[in-house]
Amino acid sequence: MFAILTDHYNLTGAFARLSMVEAMRVQRNLDQVFTDLKLPSDALLNRMREEGLLKDAIAGVKKPHTDASESVIQSHLGQLFLDYHKLKATLAKLSLAEQVACKETFTIAAKALNLPSADLAAMMAQEGVSVEAMVPKDPQQERINAVRERLNQAASQQQSDAQRVRDRLKSLVEEQKDPKDEVVDEGAQVVPLRRQQA
């Protein structure tokens, strides 16, 4: 998959086929995915590259042999980049060096995206118009988001339930007194036990 993701020709072709709204969504996904994958800063990556740490990590990767036509590959690439979750899952499987190579390739290929002019983008941002507001919502993605939200709420509820149990156990332990810790009053009378007679 790494070789397909770094195939500049097919990436550029896939990006050039997208509408302006789709291109905006792809650009947003690209900006977000590498932030979420917590890639090192550009300064650190440059230093690693200078000292040879990233140099040969991806040198052995060859162009994939595939019987699929370029138009099919480009269509699949376009769909991948339009779906943030699929894109993130795909990139998360790669090594750090491969992710860095993908980021560099995507940055160059993104020049083929049909994005709005800087003036239009600034006006949209100023008035709060986003890509999501312009595009009809995907019902499947909405269901996935709803399930994800319910799972997050359930996990949060379990954590709060567990905390309540821990707090209750702690309070019970504090309420109990250890008999060894009790101080015996020396003046207390000791009553001898008598054996019952039958």
Side-chain angles (χ1 to χ4, degrees):
M1 189 65 191
F2 168 70
I4 293 172
L5 288 173
T6 53
D7 181 351
H8 186 271
Y9 176 78
N10 280 323
L11 271 176
T12 305
F15 288 170
R17 294 167 64 171
L18 299 174
S19 69
M20 186 175 289
V21 171
E22 290 173 329
M24 290 169 65
R25 180 180 285 171
V26 167
Q27 185 64 59
R28 183 206 56 208
N29 289 346
L30 288 174
D31 291 341
Q32 189 64 42
V33 74
F34 290 109
T35 302
D36 290 349
L37 288 173
K38 296 182 172 51
L39 238 59
S41 67
D42 289 340
L44 176 57
L45 289 173
N46 288 336
R47 185 66 186 265
M48 291 166 69
R49 194 175 289 108
E50 286 172 7
E51 297 194 16
L53 194 55
L54 297 175
K55 184 178 177 183
D56 298 322
I58 55 173
V61 178
K62 297 178 181 174
K63 188 174 174 83
H65 174 71
T66 179
D67 294 331
S69 70
E70 290 175 354
S71 63
V72 171
I73 292 172
Q74 291 174 10
S75 176
H76 286 296
L77 281 171
Q79 293 306 310
L80 173 68
F81 281 86
L82 284 168
D83 187 330
Y84 170 78
H85 299 290
K86 285 182 185 175
L87 179 61
K88 183 179 177 184
T90 301
L91 291 171
K93 295 175 186 174
L94 303 178
S95 70
L96 175 62
E98 290 170 334
Q99 289 176 357
V100 170
C102 284
K103 182 179 179 183
E104 291 171 350
T105 305
F106 298 165
T107 301
I108 296 168
K111 293 177 182 172
L113 290 170
N114 180 26
L115 295 170
S117 66
D119 292 340
L120 176 58
M123 288 176 68
M124 289 172 63
Q126 185 178 12
E127 296 192 22
V129 177
S130 66
V131 179
E132 289 80 9
M134 297 173 62
V135 181
K137 298 197 183 294
D138 179 6
Q140 182 179 2
Q141 189 61 45
E142 290 296 305
R143 285 193 295 273
I144 291 171
N145 291 342
V147 169
R148 184 176 290 113
E149 182 63 29
R150 286 197 299 272
L151 289 172
N152 288 339
Q153 288 175 352
S156 175
Q157 181 64 35
Q158 286 177 344
Q159 288 176 352
S160 64
D161 288 346
Q163 185 60 44
R164 276 200 301 272
V165 169
R166 281 193 290 273
D167 292 344
R168 179 70 181 136
L169 288 173
K170 185 177 178 182
S171 67
L172 288 173
V173 167
E174 290 173 356
E175 287 175 8
Q176 288 183 339
K177 292 184 179 177
D178 190 0
K180 295 176 186 174
D181 294 341
E182 291 183 8
V183 178
V184 178
D185 185 8
E186 293 179 6
Q189 295 184 0
V190 178
V191 179
L193 295 174
R194 294 187 182 151
R195 186 182 282 177
Q196 280 188 333
Q197 295 182 0

